Amino acid sequence: MRFKILFLVTTLLTAFQSIAQINVDQVVRVGRNALYFDDYVLSIRYFNQAIDVKPWLAYPYFYRAIAKYNLDDFSGAEADATLAIERNPFITDAYELRGVARQNLGNTAAAITDYHRVLFDRPKSNGVLLNLAIAYQEAHQPDSAAETFNRMLTMSPGYANGHIAYAQFQVEHKDTVGARESVERAIALNRFNTRALAFRSALRMNSQSPDSIALALADIDEAIRLEPSQPGLYINRAFVRYKLDDYFGAMADYDYALELEPHNMMATYNRALLRMEVADYDKALADLNSVLAYNSNDYKALFNRAIVQKNRSDFKSALADANAVVNAFPDLAAAYFLRFDVRQAAGDRNAKEDYDKSLALANSKVGTYSADSQGETVANDTNPSRLLEIDNPEGEDQEVVAARFTTLLTTSPAGNSTERAQAGDISGKSIRGRVQDTWDSSVGLEPMFTASYYTSPTELKPSSDYLKEVDEVNLTGALPMLLQVTNRATPLTDQEDINRHFASINYITELVQKPKPRSIDYFARGMEYFTLRDYAKAVADFNEASNITPQFTLALFMKGVALEQQAQASIADENSETPSIHVSLLPDMRTQLLKESVEAFDKALELKPAMAPAYYNKGVALAETGDYTSAINALTKAIGLKPEMGEAYFNRGYCYLRLGNIKSGNRDLSRAGELGVVEAYSVLKRMNR
């Protein structure tokens, strides 16, 4: 565990730059107001406007960097802080912000350089000295870290957070007596310091005596009384209660932590372990599935899910999870014993070979790392919910590492407590405050753009998108309603509206039965079927429209969308408990539909090569087939035609991540966030854990 980096945004917001043009000045001022009230996504939109008008100004980049930092977009924050420094190398706060962003990205050497630059201007800055000490600690330079801590505390002996950070440093260097003294100094300076109370609670827990555990509970109770909205405090109190055999209290704390932060994976994982102890395997499985949906290579969760599946007699699933653990940690005795246990329960007569392998490894050391299924080293992963944290180059004892599979996790008691403001709404989700904490844990592509009769304006996108071909169709007056362009079509739920669309189909059917039907009538009926989600009939009508009028670009475009929607509907239906026979498709049939979707977009692009949404949609369809390289090419063309298409950046970033290109993926996701795709910040946070 390490002390979380401190960064006082309010200090940075005091900086002010006079901007000559009054309109730009107003935009920046409004953006700063939004930033002050934690409207980070909205503030970025304002700073974008200022940058578009006067890209040579430094402060809009600096303020945008602050917003990105608060959204956990550390790569974007570093890039913007650098742009600010290039335009004005005398903005000291920009060096501090860039240093903090770089430290969060693991680039401690560059962070140290930035902190020294700040200290040249502000040699008595406690916050910078603290971050510098932590950076030295992370760079495995303990002497420099200790020297910096001493400099800071000699200069500012009343800096309580400095004493707490120093206590964390002392614990990591086995000086628990010194750590207790440092924490007591912090509490003497401020008895309401929740971090100090939480840290002392953790120190008291380590003593293992019943009296100390009771005192640890008193400390964490007081911390929660002072800051009742911090999930990490409840997670730590649950651990204390567990040690006191208060299972009901521990479970209640995990439940409440998840009420405060529904996607807190540490609380979810711990609750699963507790449910396993009381043999509530169904609920334990649900929690472990949630953890693995967030991170499919969380080997602790896989280990425990194998146990749960075995106890539920689902031996096939249990064996798959056990195999994954063995493959990741081929020198861990506990992994082979787990698989032996599963195979024996399943009646496998050859299970003893795993038992023998487990015995053979029992007295050996576990290596300093184990490769996961994708060839990455788990030991280098900074995600706290991952398995190994081995610093000993000679490895660790088998039982020490094995215990990590079944031990409850606790948050860093020295970490910051962060307010998480939640207000406003966009499709039922907050766009204010730390949106990266509030979005759903599932990650997927942004949907295709489509013509639709129904769309909902949002704060970030108050009007529908523009597509010339849609305007041309609207001007004919041949459709029952005006079409709009969106990738967030509003579902049709009102029965009266549904009846009206069915009546429209009957009316248009009479028109197309005439001797010389018009292509626009087939298109109109296709839009009705599409709206009612009868995608097969919609495809047939869009096809007829393009056969009659081969230059009908929008018909080809909508044919591509309908084919993709038909493929997606089959997946959703297949995953439901009562699949409908008429849309249930085999995987190869879904692939064929997506292939035909790509062909439809290609034909539309032959007619209108500058149609950015067609390239975008083609990229979505290609990505859904797993052809991420071709998808990236299509999305790159869409971005070239429409550089402000945030959804294209998001999907290209998603594809880069699927190909393992983290740097390019993060860069694109950061740009998507700038352009209003709020989900990007949730993915960025996950990638930077």
Side-chain angles (χ1 to χ4, degrees):
M1 293 182 294
R2 65 184 187 183
F3 187 88
K4 205 165 184 177
I5 297 168
L6 292 173
F7 182 68
L8 302 178
V9 174
T10 52
T11 301
L12 295 175
L13 290 176
T14 59
F16 177 79
Q17 172 75 3
S18 176
I19 301 174
Q21 187 175 2
I22 186 65
N23 288 342
V24 173
D25 181 61
Q26 268 188 318
V27 166
V28 172
R29 183 176 290 110
V30 173
R32 289 178 62 201
N33 290 342
L35 193 56
Y36 178 80
F37 288 106
D38 297 339
D39 285 355
Y40 305 123
V41 175
L42 191 59
S43 72
I44 287 174
R45 305 288 279 186
Y46 286 118
F47 299 134
N48 287 348
Q49 292 175 29
I51 289 167
D52 287 342
V53 175
K54 291 192 174 182
W56 59 87
L57 293 175
Y59 272 88
Y61 290 101
F62 170 60
Y63 293 135
R64 192 172 72 177
I66 296 174
K68 289 181 178 180
Y69 174 84
N70 280 283
L71 292 166
D72 289 340
D73 179 6
F74 304 124
S75 297
E78 179 191 19
D80 275 351
T82 299
L83 289 169
I85 291 167
E86 288 172 356
R87 286 154 178 77
N88 184 352
F90 301 104
I91 304 177
T92 305
D93 289 332
Y95 291 97
E96 181 180 358
L97 175 56
R98 188 173 69 175
V100 175
R102 285 173 165 176
Q103 194 169 354
N104 276 283
L105 290 169
N107 189 358
T108 52
I112 288 169
T113 301
D114 278 338
Y115 292 145
H116 278 296
R117 172 62 181 80
V118 179
L119 290 168
F120 179 80
D121 292 336
R122 300 202 307 261
K124 295 183 179 181
S125 173
N126 287 330
V128 177
L129 285 167
L130 177 57
N131 286 345
L132 176 61
I134 297 168
Y136 276 132
Q137 194 175 348
E138 292 170 349
H140 304 293
Q141 299 180 41
D143 292 341
S144 296
E147 180 184 345
T148 307
F149 275 124
N150 288 329
R151 173 185 168 187
M152 174 184 66
L153 293 172
T154 299
M155 185 176 61
S156 302
Y159 185 31
N161 286 335
H163 288 289
I164 301 168
Y166 189 41
Q168 179 69 54
F169 173 80
Q170 290 169 305
V171 166
E172 293 182 5
H173 290 83
K174 315 301 182 187
D175 183 7
T176 55
V177 174
R180 288 193 185 96
E181 292 174 355
S182 294
V183 170
E184 293 297 344
R185 288 193 194 100
I187 293 174
L189 289 166
N190 180 5
R191 63 189 180 89
F192 301 114
N193 189 310
T194 55
R195 286 193 290 277
L197 290 166
F199 200 96
R200 188 169 69 178
S201 174
L203 289 174
R204 285 172 165 172
M205 277 296 300
N206 289 335
S207 72
Q208 298 298 323
S209 73
D211 290 342
S212 291
I213 295 176
L215 290 171
L217 180 61
D219 276 342
I220 202 72
D221 280 343
E222 178 64 7
I224 287 173
R225 186 186 70 80
L226 294 167
E227 287 196 50
S229 61
Q230 299 306 317
L233 295 177
Y234 291 94
I235 293 171
N236 286 1
R237 188 172 70 177
F239 180 73
V240 178
R241 286 177 161 176
Y242 170 80
K243 289 294 185 180
L244 292 169
D245 294 329
D246 181 6
Y247 280 58
F248 289 107
M251 190 72 75
D253 275 342
Y254 290 135
D255 288 342
Y256 193 65
L258 287 165
E259 282 186 34
L260 292 170
E261 191 177 331
H263 301 300
N264 187 306
M265 292 301 110
M266 188 180 291
T268 305
Y269 173 78
N270 284 357
R271 189 172 67 177
L273 295 190
L274 209 55
R275 285 172 165 172
M276 287 172 65
E277 286 206 31
V278 296
D280 190 352
Y281 296 120
D282 290 341
K283 289 182 179 179
L285 178 62
D287 278 343
L288 292 169
N289 284 341
S290 295
V291 174
L292 288 162
Y294 188 87
N295 178 3
S296 61
N297 288 331
D298 189 320
Y299 294 103
K300 294 193 310 300
L302 282 168
F303 185 98
N304 286 290
R305 191 171 70 174
I307 297 171
V308 169
Q309 299 281 31
K310 187 208 76 170
N311 286 316
R312 297 175 75 251
S313 298
D314 184 355
F315 302 119
K316 181 179 179 181
S317 299
L319 184 59
D321 286 346
N323 284 337
V325 177
V326 168
N327 292 337
F329 303 102
D331 54 355
L332 181 63
Y336 290 95
F337 190 84
L338 168 69
R339 192 166 67 179
F340 157 72
D341 199 26
V342 172
R343 292 174 67 183
Q344 185 185 52
D348 185 344
R349 294 181 179 179
N350 296 319
K352 189 175 181 297
E353 63 190 17
D354 277 335
Y355 180 81
D356 293 339
K357 179 70 172 177
S358 177
L359 285 179
L361 289 170
N363 295 320
S364 64
K365 297 285 187 179
V366 179
T368 57
Y369 69 90
S370 296
D372 67 14
S373 59
Q374 296 174 333
E376 299 172 350
T377 56
V378 180
N380 292 332
D381 198 311
T382 58
N383 186 334
S385 67
R386 293 293 284 269
L387 173 62
L388 290 181
E389 296 175 358
I390 299 176
D391 294 322
N392 182 354
E394 297 179 358
E396 289 194 283
D397 292 338
Q398 291 282 344
E399 60 270 21
V400 172
V401 179
R404 293 194 180 119
F405 284 99
T406 54
T407 301
L408 296 176
L409 304 173
T410 57
T411 64
S412 172
N416 266 353
S417 300
T418 306
E419 291 293 332
R420 300 180 187 238
Q422 296 183 28
D425 188 81
I426 174 171
S427 302
K429 296 175 180 179
S430 170
I431 63 164
R432 291 189 170 86
R434 292 173 55 84
V435 296
Q436 70 274 31
D437 297 329
T438 59
W439 285 78
D440 292 340
S441 61
S442 58
V443 177
L445 294 162
E446 282 290 290
M448 284 189 175
F449 280 93
T450 181
S452 174
Y453 292 131
Y454 303 97
T455 183
S456 297
T458 68
E459 186 173 351
L460 295 179
K461 189 175 281 190
S463 59
S464 64
D465 290 272
Y466 175 76
L467 190 58
K468 181 182 177 183
E469 290 73 17
V470 168
D471 270 5
E472 291 172 347
V473 169
N474 282 336
L475 288 172
T476 67
L479 302 186
M481 300 169 65
L482 289 177
L483 287 174
Q484 302 174 74
V485 181
T486 181
N487 76 328
R488 300 284 181 187
T490 305
L492 193 60
T493 57
D494 186 86
Q495 189 60 48
E496 190 173 315
D497 288 339
I498 293 171
N499 292 339
R500 186 169 67 250
H501 285 289
F502 275 115
S504 181
I505 288 173
N506 293 334
Y507 172 74
I508 299 172
T509 297
E510 293 179 5
L511 295 178
V512 299
Q513 288 174 347
K514 292 181 178 181
K516 291 186 177 180
R518 302 183 303 171
S519 60
I520 192 66
D521 293 329
Y522 275 109
F523 180 82
R525 191 173 69 173
M527 283 304 309
E528 298 295 342
Y529 282 129
F530 182 84
T531 302
L532 293 168
R533 300 188 186 279
D534 191 341
Y535 299 119
K537 289 182 180 177
V539 169
D541 276 351
F542 292 140
N543 206 42
E544 283 295 326
S546 61
N547 286 339
I548 295 171
T549 307
Q551 305 299 312
F552 200 158
T553 308
L554 190 59
L556 290 165
F557 179 86
M558 287 307 300
K559 176 184 173 183
V561 176
L563 284 162
E564 188 267 349
Q565 289 289 287
Q566 188 177 359
Q568 291 304 311
S570 71
I571 295 172
D573 193 74
E574 192 175 81
N575 290 335
S576 70
E577 293 182 1
T578 56
S580 305
I581 295 173
H582 71 285
V583 294
S584 182
L585 300 172
L586 296 173
D588 57 342
M589 295 176 66
R590 288 199 296 269
T591 301
Q592 180 61 30
L593 285 172
L594 291 170
K595 181 181 177 182
E596 291 174 13
S597 174
V598 171
E599 291 171 355
F601 292 126
D602 280 337
K603 289 180 181 177
L605 287 164
E606 288 176 11
L607 299 171
K608 297 289 178 70
M611 196 176 185
Y615 276 115
Y616 170 86
N617 286 0
K618 176 183 175 181
V620 173
L622 287 166
E624 287 171 347
T625 66
D627 186 356
Y628 297 114
T629 302
S630 298
I632 287 170
N633 291 334
L635 292 164
T636 300
K637 290 178 181 177
I639 290 168
L641 292 166
K642 192 175 179 182
E644 302 304 307
M645 187 183 283
E647 295 84 357
Y649 281 101
F650 181 93
N651 285 349
R652 192 174 70 174
Y654 175 90
C655 292
Y656 276 130
L657 294 180
R658 293 302 299 263
L659 291 173
N661 189 339
I662 306 298
K663 184 177 180 180
S664 295
N666 281 352
R667 184 185 62 238
D668 274 353
L669 289 169
S670 177
R671 180 61 177 149
E674 281 181 24
L675 295 171
V677 184
V678 185
E679 298 96 319
Y681 294 111
S682 176
V683 184
L684 279 168
K685 177 177 180 178
R686 186 175 310 184
M687 296 309 302
N688 289 316
R689 288 179 74 87

